Amino acid sequence: MIQTMNDKEIWFVTGSQHLYGPETLEQVAKNSQTIVEGFNASSHIPVNIVYKPTVKTPDEITDVCQEASADKNCIGIITWMHTFSPAKMWIKGLSILNKPLCHLHTQFNAEVPWKSIDMDFMNLNQSAHGDREFGHMMTRMRKNRKIIVGHWEVERIQEKIGNWTRVALGWNEFQNLKVARIGDNMREVSVTDGDKVEAQLRFGFSVNGYDSSDVTSHINELSDQQVSELIKTYESEYELADALLESGSKRQSLIDAAKIELGLRSFLEEGGFGAFTDTFENLGELKQLPGIATQRLMADGYGFGGEGDWKTSALLRAMKVMATGIEGGTSFMEDYTYHFTPQKAYVMGSHMLEICPSIADKKPTCEVHPLGIGGKEDPVRLVFNSPPGRAINVSLVDLGNRFRLIVNEVEAVVPMGELPKLPVARVLWDAKPDLEIAATAWILAGGAHHTVYSQALTTEFIEDFAEMAGVELVVIDKDTTIRQFKELLHANEAYYHTFQNYM
């Protein structure tokens, strides 16, 4: 399901002017091509970087910005002022550019050639002040962008560029994403609902409602062979509980679960959906709440949100795309219960069924247990723990007058004991800076109980994503204090009210 990166491009646009003569401009072009070749050879940059001829006039700048905005494969541009490029030339082009922009503040040479440096060298290598001129105009235009400072050959700089291109992929996914809401919102719940029209205006993705019968119609068209082949996949990839084995008392539950997965997958593929939601209050003729079906679809890259949570579903899909090829999983998550001790407090994250096996610490077990709510047959699900390590929890909420992204940096830990009776996937984490401050700040920020949990991505990815979307971001990390966090929220309220026309 995860889109390939092969057809997506980031354009590399170098700014200059005719003042310096053809010889200098020829060298500018050669140096820019060398940088692009270096980026495309880097293991840190997953998207193809495309060299574009040096822009030297307002018309050339406008033309390349128009082309980038209209090109379906172009998902962003990297700009660099090799020499001085008078920034008024950029006004028209930047005003029509609708793709993410990364301003690379670098220079071709790493060090000053002390013995040979002359005015020819100085005229060629002017990015130290050329980029500042360019940056001034973007700030005056309130142009959201990523700024990366450092020498282009340094691995850390290439990694930053690569991470930004991944975020651009996620943003491009938002522009084309279709979310299927199977059933409505869980009744009377606030945070999982919101303004779908405003979301489409701000983010690009569409959310439309469907009935469970739209899925069961696909289930009715399945062949026995399709079901049999999927059952074999379950048997090879997971440790099946005895009750689900061929001679087990709950074998039919596994067959029904396989049918739900195949039907749901067919429905999503036919409709071109990259994300979906469901709710146990509107299952219709489905025999059980989709458990293993949802888990496996998430593992394949689909976004998901429980109880009709379309915002988390869309966010999960975008973060799955960003994390393609990076070690560590990304999953739908819910803060479920706490572990309080005098020494430390932890959060146990889980959900009724739907945690993605991409965050499993080992081969999951496939089990069937009563759900206790929803009034349906016992659902099949994958059960596992998650490995220790750094992670983030991310929530996208609708505040009525704007959207807010909230990040809490966490550290997953090994559970302090066995969990033989807990029939769901789970992860235990230490919320930074500690649970008392983290939970207080989260609640103050209006954060949801549903999140996207990622061991692959860092806060910087979400920071860049918020910049591209023009939405508010608040971060809860090891340095957070409640007094400063309250001040930040109050300042943001005024800022976004004042500058909302620019965002």
Side-chain angles (χ1 to χ4, degrees):
M1 173 59 197
I2 290 292
Q3 68 181 43
T4 63
M5 299 180 181
N6 297 335
D7 62 341
K8 301 303 178 186
E9 302 172 349
I10 298 287
W11 290 6
F12 190 90
V13 180
T14 305
S16 186
Q17 60 179 324
H18 284 294
L19 177 67
Y20 305 110
E23 185 176 340
T24 296
L25 290 175
E26 183 179 345
Q27 192 61 50
V28 167
K30 288 181 180 178
N31 290 352
S32 297
Q33 288 172 317
T34 298
I35 291 175
V36 169
E37 291 169 0
F39 286 168
N40 283 327
S42 172
S43 61
H44 296 293
I45 302 175
V47 178
N48 186 39
I49 310 297
V50 177
Y51 164 80
K52 290 293 176 178
T54 307
V55 291
K56 307 168 292 295
T57 67
D59 286 344
E60 290 177 355
I61 292 169
T62 300
D63 287 346
V64 76
C65 289
Q66 283 179 328
E67 292 167 7
S69 297
D71 193 296
K72 291 184 178 181
N73 290 333
C74 176
I75 61 171
I77 70 170
I78 298 172
T79 55
W80 171 48
M81 306 303 113
H82 194 320
T83 63
F84 195 80
S85 179
K88 288 199 292 185
M89 297 196 303
W90 287 85
I91 292 174
K92 185 176 180 181
L94 289 176
S95 67
I96 62 176
L97 181 68
N98 62 11
K99 298 292 176 73
L101 190 153
C102 174
H103 182 192
L104 177 61
H105 185 41
T106 190
Q107 63 183 26
F108 186 72
N109 59 294
E111 300 177 357
V112 173
W114 303 108
K115 293 184 178 180
S116 62
I117 188 171
D118 55 18
M119 280 311 300
D120 287 338
F121 181 93
M122 295 284 276
N123 283 333
L124 175 64
N125 299 283
Q126 296 187 51
S127 55
H129 60 281
D131 276 324
R132 294 170 195 261
E133 163 79 358
F134 180 64
H136 163 76
M137 183 53 66
M138 285 194 291
T139 295
R140 179 162 180 174
M141 294 177 69
R142 275 65 173 186
K143 190 73 177 178
N144 290 351
R145 77 276 196 190
K146 173 75 171 182
I147 301 171
I148 297 177
V149 180
H151 193 254
W152 62 275
E153 287 184 300
V154 173
E155 187 174 11
R156 179 178 59 84
I157 299 303
Q158 293 182 359
E159 185 175 359
K160 280 181 169 289
I161 292 170
N163 290 347
W164 178 82
T165 67
R166 289 179 176 278
V167 178
L169 280 166
W171 178 244
N172 179 72
E173 180 66 18
F174 253 29
Q175 307 309 296
N176 302 286
L177 179 62
K178 294 170 62 179
V179 181
R181 203 179 195 199
I182 304 169
D184 201 352
N185 192 58
M186 183 178 174
R187 295 167 197 146
E188 304 294 350
V189 176
S190 169
V191 75
T192 54
D193 215 331
D195 190 335
K196 296 186 284 294
V197 175
E198 187 61 30
Q200 189 164 352
L201 287 169
R202 170 59 61 186
F203 302 114
F205 63 79
S206 64
V207 183
N208 285 290
Y210 297 86
D211 189 72
S212 58
S213 62
D214 293 306
V215 176
T216 53
S217 64
H218 285 261
I219 294 175
N220 295 334
E221 296 175 359
L222 297 172
S223 68
D224 292 340
Q225 183 178 357
Q226 288 176 288
V227 177
S228 178
E229 288 176 356
L230 183 53
I231 293 291
K232 290 178 182 178
T233 299
Y234 292 167
E235 291 172 335
S236 65
E237 294 186 3
Y238 315 115
E239 298 288 345
L240 264 62
D242 290 345
L244 296 177
L245 296 175
E246 191 169 2
S247 59
S249 61
K250 291 286 187 177
R251 181 69 170 190
Q252 186 59 46
S253 295
L254 189 67
I255 295 171
D256 293 337
K259 289 180 178 179
I260 291 173
E261 177 181 341
L262 290 167
L264 184 52
R265 190 181 294 272
S266 176
F267 164 75
L268 296 172
E269 290 175 351
E270 182 180 81
F273 301 108
F276 68 102
T277 73
D278 63 23
T279 170
F280 57 81
E281 290 181 321
N282 189 2
L283 294 176
E285 297 301 317
L286 291 174
K287 291 188 176 181
Q288 53 184 263
L289 179 65
I292 189 173
T294 298
Q295 292 177 293
R296 284 173 49 82
L297 285 164
M298 279 192 287
D300 287 341
Y302 283 94
F304 172 77
E307 291 94 54
D309 190 348
W310 51 270
K311 296 187 295 298
T312 301
S313 178
L315 181 62
L316 174 57
R317 170 60 184 164
M319 290 175 64
K320 287 274 191 182
V321 170
M322 293 183 219
T324 303
I326 301 179
E327 184 177 354
T330 302
S331 176
F332 173 68
M333 188 58 65
E334 179 172 84
D335 299 70
Y336 222 101
T337 195
Y338 293 135
H339 179 64
F340 284 120
T341 73
Q343 297 78 27
K344 193 76 174 175
Y346 299 91
V347 180
M348 178 173 286
S350 187
H351 203 253
M352 295 181 298
L353 304 172
E354 308 97 345
I355 301 298
C356 180
S358 66
I359 66 168
D361 63 348
K362 60 183 179 181
K363 189 175 184 178
T365 60
C366 183
E367 304 177 17
V368 57
H369 300 277
L371 186 60
I373 54 177
K376 291 291 182 176
E377 296 178 10
D378 301 344
V380 176
R381 80 290 303 273
L382 300 175
V383 179
F384 52 84
N385 288 327
S386 190
R390 174 201 53 79
I392 56 174
N393 265 315
V394 187
S395 175
L396 175 63
V397 296
D398 184 349
L399 296 179
N401 65 340
R402 67 186 185 278
F403 291 95
R404 173 182 283 164
L405 277 163
I406 307 163
V407 176
N408 186 198
E409 297 180 356
V410 305
E411 185 79 18
V413 300
V414 177
M416 291 74 177
E418 298 296 324
L419 300 160
K421 293 185 178 181
L422 184 62
V424 289
R426 58 268 174 165
V427 54
L428 188 70
W429 67 76
D430 174 13
K432 303 302 178 183
D434 57 49
L435 180 56
E436 181 180 347
I437 293 175
T440 301
W442 190 273
I443 292 169
L444 283 170
H449 57 283
H450 288 167
T451 63
V452 177
Y453 173 87
S454 181
Q455 300 167 321
L457 304 179
T458 64
T459 298
E460 186 175 10
F461 285 86
I462 310 305
E463 182 179 5
D464 290 347
F465 191 75
E467 194 78 46
M468 289 181 190
V471 299
E472 180 186 5
L473 171 71
V474 293
V475 178
I476 305 165
D477 59 16
K478 63 181 179 62
D479 298 319
T480 298
T481 68
I482 296 303
R483 179 178 296 168
Q484 291 173 335
F485 196 77
K486 285 182 177 180
E487 291 174 352
L488 172 65
L489 295 181
H490 292 155
N492 283 2
E493 195 70 43
Y495 173 83
Y496 281 91
H497 176 73
T498 303
F499 292 102
Q500 60 183 341
N501 290 332
Y502 289 114
M503 303 307 294

